[in-house]
Amino acid sequence: MECFTPFRLLYLLLVLSIAMSASMAEDLGTYIIHMDKSTMPMTFSSHHDWYLSMLSSMSSSDGVHPTHLYTYNHVLDGFSAVLSREHLDQLEKMPGFLAIHADTFGRFHTTRSPTFLGLDKNAAGSWPEGKFGEDVIIGIIDTGIWPESESFKDKGMGPVPDRWRGACESGVEFNSSYCNRKLIGARSFSKGLKQQGLIISTSDDYDSPRDFFGHGTHTASTAAGSPVRDANYFGYAKGTAIGIAPKARLAAYKVLFTNDSDISAASDTLAGMDQAIADGVDLMSLSLGFEETTFEQNPIAVGAFAAMEKGIFVSCSAGNSGPEGYTMLNGAPWITTIGAGTIDRDYAADVTFGGGILTIRGRSVYPENVLVSNVSLYFGHGNRSKELCEDFALDPKDVAGKIVFCYFNQSGGVSQVREVDRAGAKGAIISSDSEFFNFPSFFFIPLVVVTPKDGDLVKDYIIKSENPVVDVKFLITVLGSKPAPQVAFFSSRGPNNRAPMILKPDVLAPGVNILAAWAPKVALTRVGDNRLLTDYTLLSGTSMSSPHAVGVAALLKSAHPDWSSAAIRSALMTTAYLLDNTIGSIIDMDTGVAATPLDFGAGHINPNMAMDPGLIYDIEVQDYINFLCGLNYTSKQIKIISRRSKFTCDQANLDLNYPSFIVLLNNNTNTTSYTFKRVLTNVVDSPSVYRASVKQPSGMKVNVQPSMVFFAGKYSKAEFNMTVEINLGYARPQSEYIGNFGYLTWWEVNGTHVVKSPIVSAFAL
């Protein structure tokens, strides 16, 4: 028998206590609880008090009490809390309980772009007509804000609108005095993350609205930054940085924290959206996404529905999981979902060989004006490993002080640049047409990327020369580059998994190498071992495209304050353009061939045309509920999303009055027919007549009835039906998930308005 001394007994009790504590901690979780507030007893003065009373009444055998996090007043009826399994069992039996969802996590998905979008303060168009977004309030749900940035100065701005109910919170390295007439609000939401064990320290992030990483600062300044002269990225993209709606007000809601995981908790995101609605924002932009689930489990979809009901336009990034199909995020039909495209600005270096024998312009974003003159070239000719600059292929004795020429290795990219750097070479020239070299972070050594065609010329020069040498001139910004726009290779593609009968993304907006404000303590690039800090940086992602779209929407909202969110989205979609600056079809950067509506939606946003669309496809709140009924959502699911206790599904309908059309195909059948029913609304002051025309590919037959519609005046309506027949026996599919596509266009008779919508056939998963 083992003998227990007092010390050993104390030790075992301590171990047991630690084990029990660990077990209890593992049993706890953060949850979002949906309640039916119509069942609240009359004895409570508020829902908040009701929720707290419920939590305080819960018992637990381990003595752990529930912890309340947030009460939601707008985005949903309910609250979030830290609960044990015993608490969950008790909660599910309480009157008014609807549903519970475990907290989940989302991740975040710059300025030549105003000019590229056709915005000009000295000409007619969206800027003067939209009053530059004056007094419209944009809520940016992101990583916070760097308030000292020149992009958030309030010079020339009038008083904050009286309807604003927000606040500027103080916190770690953030004071309420940082807000002004431009940045009118700043708040932070981190309770959910903290309950997951995230420790927010100044070495990882700020427990305040201050932006540690820079992402939120970048998106906010893109949407509504004040003009800043001579902004640039280490000499590239010099010019005046200005937001799309430069006179709009900004409110920052920090829900993303960068720690080790760069994540946002669903409970925090909902709290941020809830507060933005309460504060009185007119529009929201979210450059983040959560895993695709049914809509009632997706915090952004739930929050955006509540915002839509109150007339708040919500723009979201489509995600960066392209180029494959069915990779869309934020696909709820009440959200305007934005894909990413390029703009007509590129960054270059001029490379001269042999003192003038050959000169080539290649891509470069190397952030220093270094002298590369009469430097020897190295090429591992005859050794494939060295030609590709593969890992440890280069001998430092061979390449020291030289420029290395490499052919791109499909599995290489940044690893090739690192190999050149490791071997101690002066720099590199890489022959590649890979889209990966669009990112500035690759250019941490003197690097120039040339096309494969030019690369062959370089190789030929090196082989034929006894002493190959090169000169390089960096810091060249190219304006008017062609073709542009192109669909970014990373931009997520449609259809959307959860509602494939709605074409997504909705539109394309600038999202590649966008210059905008940044947190100056954060280095995204380096030269050698030196990390470089900057006030303005180039970033790529659909994160950059969403604030462009919300900025344009702010201009429309300012010019048309009575328009619904659906009306604004319709104007953006039906006026979007389909041709690039070579007057050719918009190209998919990944394939090099024409893109499809499942890549770019209705096309690339065109702010000046969107200001006066002629006709719109409007959608009421009840239409969305009918759509959810059509998806066979249960009454509980619909109640969670809509917060309605009473509704019927008598008019279930998957055919929303959307400005685009998609026919889902079954791989087992060759022929499919579907009839769409739509209602058009006239938004000009005079009567008008429109005639329908259809561009249809082989294998697609489209019939529109009536083919001519009449409008008596502003806000008058006209209905039409469109039947689409698809015969795959006559049409070769475009890809494994898209069949064919065409366009329906309504032309104004004796007028100038053109209202265009894509018609797409796609294979269902």
Side-chain angles (χ1 to χ4, degrees), residues 88-143:
L88 293 177
D89 292 338
Q90 296 171 54
L91 183 62
E92 290 175 353
K93 298 173 184 176
M94 291 185 175
F97 172 82
L98 267 183
I100 190 165
H101 296 128
D103 214 355
T104 55
F105 299 99
R107 301 180 185 276
F108 49 70
H109 287 162
T110 66
T111 53
R112 167 80 175 175
S113 48
T115 302
F116 182 67
L117 291 173
L119 299 173
D120 186 346
K121 66 179 181 181
N122 298 315
S126 287
W127 261 358
E129 291 179 38
K131 296 175 284 189
F132 299 87
E134 185 174 3
D135 284 347
V136 173
I137 303 169
I138 303 175
I140 303 293
I141 319 293
D142 213 295
T143 65

Side-chain angles (χ1 to χ4, degrees), residues 405 407-408 430-434 450-458:
F405 174 66
Y407 277 96
F408 178 63
I430 296 181
S431 173
S432 172
D433 55 5
S434 171
V450 300
T451 66
K453 181 180 178 181
D454 286 340
D456 289 341
L457 295 176
V458 176

Side-chain angles (χ1 to χ4, degrees), residues 370-605:
V370 297
L371 178 64
V372 178
S373 179
N374 203 38
V375 175
S376 295
L377 271 168
Y378 173 85
F379 178 50
H381 179 53
N383 186 323
R384 192 60 177 159
S385 181
K386 292 182 179 180
E387 286 186 10
L388 296 176
C389 298
E390 293 179 337
D391 289 348
F392 298 99
L394 302 178
D395 189 331
K397 292 183 293 184
D398 295 334
V399 303
K402 298 178 181 179
I403 299 290
V404 178
F405 174 66
C406 316
Y407 277 96
F408 178 63
N409 182 354
Q410 291 296 331
S411 60
V414 69
S415 65
Q416 292 178 280
V417 184
R418 287 174 178 154
E419 170 59 12
V420 173
D421 187 35
R422 180 204 66 80
K426 188 175 183 65
I429 300 170
I430 296 181
S431 173
S432 172
D433 55 5
S434 171
E435 61 271 13
F436 293 107
F437 286 108
N438 278 283
F439 299 115
S441 58
F442 275 44
F443 294 83
F444 53 85
I445 66 171
L447 168 66
V448 184
V449 180
V450 300
T451 66
K453 181 180 178 181
D454 286 340
D456 289 341
L457 295 176
V458 176
K459 176 180 178 180
D460 186 64
Y461 160 72
I462 296 174
I463 291 174
K464 292 179 179 179
S465 175
E466 292 184 5
N467 181 30
V469 293
V470 64
D471 301 338
V472 184
K473 176 177 171 43
F474 291 99
L475 302 185
I476 298 173
T477 299
V478 181
L479 302 179
S481 60
K482 297 179 179 181
Q486 299 179 54
V487 180
F489 68 95
F490 55 76
S491 186
S492 289
R493 311 309 210 250
N496 171 250
N497 271 313
R498 295 297 170 175
M501 64 292 299
I502 301 295
L503 178 63
K504 290 284 184 172
D506 292 309
V507 287
L508 200 69
V512 177
N513 279 336
I514 305 301
L515 182 76
W518 190 244
K521 288 187 177 182
V522 180
L524 285 182
T525 191
R526 64 180 175 89
V527 171
D529 295 329
N530 299 315
R531 303 193 68 80
L532 304 182
L533 304 177
T534 179
D535 293 322
Y536 288 82
T537 198
L538 298 169
L539 280 187
S540 298
T542 54
S543 283
M544 285 61 254
S545 54
S546 179
H548 278 91
V550 86
V552 175
L555 300 176
L556 300 185
K557 188 83 169 179
S558 181
H560 307 285
D562 56 333
W563 280 10
S564 67
S565 296
I568 292 174
R569 178 174 60 237
S570 177
L572 293 175
M573 292 176 67
T574 62
T575 61
Y577 62 84
L578 302 167
L579 300 179
D580 61 26
N581 56 4
T582 69
I583 318 302
S585 298
I586 293 176
I587 297 297
D588 180 345
M589 184 189 289
D590 179 62
T591 63
V593 301
T596 77
L598 288 177
D599 304 319
F600 55 62
H604 194 285
I605 56 172

Side-chain angles (χ1 to χ4, degrees), residues 741-756:
F741 63 93
Y743 291 91
L744 164 66
T745 305
W746 290 100
W747 298 86
E748 186 179 19
V749 178
N750 299 321
T752 60
H753 295 103
V754 179
V755 185
K756 180 174 287 188

Side-chain angles (χ1 to χ4, degrees), residues 621-638:
V621 175
Q622 185 60 47
D623 298 327
Y624 291 118
I625 294 176
N626 294 340
F627 178 78
L628 293 171
C629 292
L631 287 175
N632 292 321
Y633 273 36
T634 66
S635 58
K636 180 187 289 187
Q637 288 175 303
I638 297 173

